[in-house]
Amino acid sequence: QQAHQLSETTGYHHGMMSSNLGFGLVHHYQREMEEAMEYYFMALDMTQQGIDLNHPDVELLYNNLGGAYIDMGFRLKAREFLIKALELQKRNQSQGITTAITYYNLGLVYLYFGENQSALHNFMAAYPAYLERYGENGARVAQLYTNIGNIHDNLGNIEQAEEYFQRGIIIHLENHGPGYWNLAYPYTNLGSLYVKTGRRKQGLAYYFKSLELCQQNRKELIRLEALNHGALASYYLEEQLYDRSRNHAYQAVNIMQEAFYEEHPRIGEFYTTVGQGYMEQSNFELAYQWFEKAKDLTIKGYGERHPQLAKLHLEQSKIFLETGDYSHAMQQAQQALIALSETFTSRDPKTNPEVAAVLNERLLMNILKQKGDVFSGMAKQQNVQENLVAALTQYQQAVSTIDHLRRGYLSESAKLFLQNNASEIYQKGVETAYQLYHLNQSKQYLAQAFYFMEKS
């Protein structure tokens, strides 16, 4: 306040920019995002007043705008400002903590977009400065470990993910005790990991531990409180407790809308869970409507190319497959592939992107399996053998994707987890190859059936 008054009195533009940045920081740390953004943009306006645009304060401004957009859910805008910050830091040869925080924030953005290797690169670029500034047992280092754990989780490296989550938990517990608000993040992530790997009750306990911390520290953890309700909605969906699932999904939506704004992109994930519940109850019309609402928010928040959007197209493809509308089922599956890659554009259902060109290989595997199922349905409906051959090709490419994933997985448990989730693809491949053998007695299809059995 004093700096701003003096700067205004003397017409010192840089001082006005820096003091507005300071006001923004105060509000940002208190999670008062609207006020923070107002001051950040006042500071940004001052950069047009002839100040030195290479000054470290401008680096900090760009970085904080990126961080604020992350908190608000605008990942594309966050990436835009963080890249500006990093370009300026490279020009200035800045090596300090501000540059490390920029790398960390960029890592978060890439993590949200499913670009795991880019996320890991940025987190590791931040790591040395984090260690130097905060120490090996610093809370920020623990946060870094938690997010590296998220990358390993995405890649299916179960032991590594659990190890990094536990490292973050130990640091927080030893330095701040069991009531420390930052523990909520690794608790949620560990809960998700345990649920996904079959330790469901243990995972549920961690969700509730995290939720308790969120409710005790609502100002700092309001977004995570919503995400925990979203996780519980998914948990109860898998338990086929649909009313309980929807109740948690609606709570997640309400919290996110009250704390941020009505069209926060993460709300799309909660809508997706509601849609999946209605789909499992065979209420396909309602399911489709919820998926459409989720798609609208996802596109606004993440753009036309994102794994979450691909997942929604896949869910809608499943609806059309269930109802026998194979044409629309295939269109949605192909659109899922387009959303899953930055470069793939083909609408030819017999064409697929290269594994290296997609944002999420496991999702690619599921979409290829779905296309195989749609081609199989078309073959039965139209009695066209060519469609059965196309189905077999999709299952073969899905198996190639599994092989690619296995090569990238570090642990045997991760490979086993993948194999268990891929078993239906092998089964469908065997059945399709055997059908083709019965149709034309070609021994190549017996060889294909054996290939799928051997892979399984």
Side-chain angles (χ1 to χ4, degrees), residues 346-367:
S346 176
R347 297 188 182 277
D348 178 359
K350 293 184 179 178
T351 306
N352 298 315
E354 296 292 326
V355 178
V358 300
L359 298 170
N360 185 307
E361 293 94 342
R362 277 191 286 177
L363 193 50
L364 172 64
M365 174 187 78
N366 291 329
I367 296 168

Side-chain angles (χ1 to χ4, degrees), residues 380-407:
K380 289 177 186 174
Q381 185 185 63
Q382 302 166 6
N383 198 26
V384 176
Q385 185 174 323
E386 183 186 343
N387 287 329
L388 208 55
V389 174
L392 187 66
T393 301
Q394 300 301 318
Y395 295 136
Q396 288 169 335
Q397 292 189 17
V399 170
S400 295
T401 306
I402 295 166
D403 289 345
H404 175 85
L405 282 163
R406 279 179 62 83
R407 286 193 293 272

